[in-house]
Amino acid sequence: TEFASTPLASITGINPTTSAAGTPLVFPSNSAIVAAVTTAITAAQPVDFMVKMATETTGSNRFVRIASDDNSTQGYRPRLSLSLDYAFAPSVNPGTAPTPTAGMAAALAGSVVSATSSQWSVVSGTGAVSFSDPSAPATTAVFSTPGIYLLKLTATNPNGETSRTLSITVLAALTHLNSWRQAHFNTSSNTGDAADSADPDKDGIANLLEFATGTVPTAGNGSILRIAMNGNTAEVTYRRSHAAVADGVRFHIEWSCTLGEDWSCSGVSQFLVPFTDDGVSTQWTATLPLTSCLQGFARLLVCSP
């Protein structure tokens, strides 16, 4: 590739005392030079330059040809070392996408190089995104709702702007019941041994009742109800787990005189027993209207939200 008066025309002269062999000759570059050198490197071809001598006093111009292929024998060719110095736009790496749950902070591990500033923004998504520090490549974000979000990390410097996107799938927040299943059965799915109606420890208490009363579903438990007489009043005590209450589980005490189809919650009163909070559950007592029964029965009914 040859260049005549441009792009090297800005060189007004070459002083032999400062451009002797082995001494670098520095001159302004431009996109044409960069493109020519890049093409030559890609094609594994030599690079030639034609430099105009603009300080001749004779009125005529002379040219110096700097080349790397002046002789057909490679060993006789002069060495041409060419160094290009030009500014780059910043580089951006948005990092690996996390798998967050809605409402929980998720770590964004972005990084930028040669940037004077950076900024996270939301391209699209099913809800709102709150960044703890949107100008920091490595920060945290909270997604308001489950779904697929597309975020963009942009970096700038005086030479330009670069951006890359990151797709993130946000999962629905686990309920306390799902977390309880995950902890005990290594799955949050309402199936198999983890199903609400399953009884993997064979103690006669279904999983949903175990969760609701704060007992362990994989180890046999005693009765979760205690019935006693307080004078002429029948009382039933049981425990309500904080996790179940937070999930909206409803607790009902029903009574029957026959164990038939006469189960009812009519006339039942329930109250929290003071000072029974153990950090996991609280104790509740229900009074039953069994005075008309020759014998009475009670049961705890829990309903998931």
Side-chain angles (χ1 to χ4, degrees), residues 100-114:
T101 57
M104 302 295 291
L108 300 177
S111 61
V112 298
V113 177
S114 301

Side-chain angles (χ1 to χ4, degrees), residues 116-134:
T116 55
S117 65
S118 61
Q119 187 76 23
W120 282 101
S121 60
V122 181
V123 178
S124 62
T126 56
V129 182
S130 175
F131 300 97
S132 60
D133 183 358

Side-chain angles (χ1 to χ4, degrees), residues 76-96:
Y76 294 159
R77 295 175 186 174
R79 179 182 177 86
L80 176 60
S81 299
L82 189 61
S83 175
L84 297 180
D85 229 350
Y86 55 96
F88 293 91
S91 61
V92 172
N93 182 357
T96 303

Side-chain angles (χ1 to χ4, degrees), residues 64-288:
V64 175
R65 185 167 182 264
I66 305 174
S68 61
D69 61 349
D70 280 345
N71 194 289
S72 59
T73 302
Q74 184 172 356
Y76 294 159
R77 295 175 186 174
R79 179 182 177 86
L80 176 60
S81 299
L82 189 61
S83 175
L84 297 180
D85 229 350
Y86 55 96
F88 293 91
S91 61
V92 172
N93 182 357
T96 303
T99 308
T101 57
M104 302 295 291
L108 300 177
S111 61
V112 298
V113 177
S114 301
T116 55
S117 65
S118 61
Q119 187 76 23
W120 282 101
S121 60
V122 181
V123 178
S124 62
T126 56
V129 182
S130 175
F131 300 97
S132 60
D133 183 358
S135 64
T139 185
T140 59
V142 177
F143 302 85
S144 63
T145 58
I148 298 176
Y149 293 75
L150 188 64
L151 305 185
K152 181 168 68 174
L153 177 59
T154 302
T156 58
N157 69 17
N159 306 303
E161 176 182 289
T162 307
S163 64
R164 288 183 62 187
T165 57
L166 181 67
S167 179
I168 297 177
T169 299
V170 180
L171 306 177
L174 290 177
T175 64
H176 291 285
L177 177 56
N178 286 340
S179 298
W180 181 85
R181 290 194 191 104
Q182 187 69 44
H184 291 288
F185 302 105
N186 201 33
T187 178
S188 61
S189 177
N190 184 15
T191 57
D193 281 349
D196 289 349
S197 59
D199 180 19
D201 57 8
K202 310 301 182 184
D203 61 359
I205 306 172
N207 282 337
L208 184 58
L209 279 169
E210 301 253 23
F211 167 69
T213 56
T215 55
V216 179
T218 55
N221 299 279
S223 176
I224 58 176
L225 296 179
R226 187 174 74 249
I227 302 177
M229 295 300 297
N230 184 5
N232 293 324
T233 302
E235 294 181 344
V236 175
T237 60
Y238 66 96
R239 301 195 71 85
R240 295 184 183 181
S241 76
H242 296 319
V245 172
D247 271 1
V249 172
R250 301 184 303 278
F251 295 79
H252 304 281
I253 292 292
E254 297 182 332
W255 60 273
S256 167
C257 291
T258 65
L259 283 180
E261 300 299 324
D262 59 339
W263 288 102
S264 172
C265 59
S266 177
V268 175
S269 297
Q270 298 197 61
F271 59 88
L272 170 66
V273 179
F275 311 112
T276 59
D277 190 339
D278 61 4
V280 176
S281 62
T282 53
Q283 182 173 301
W284 285 70
T285 294
T287 58
L288 310 179

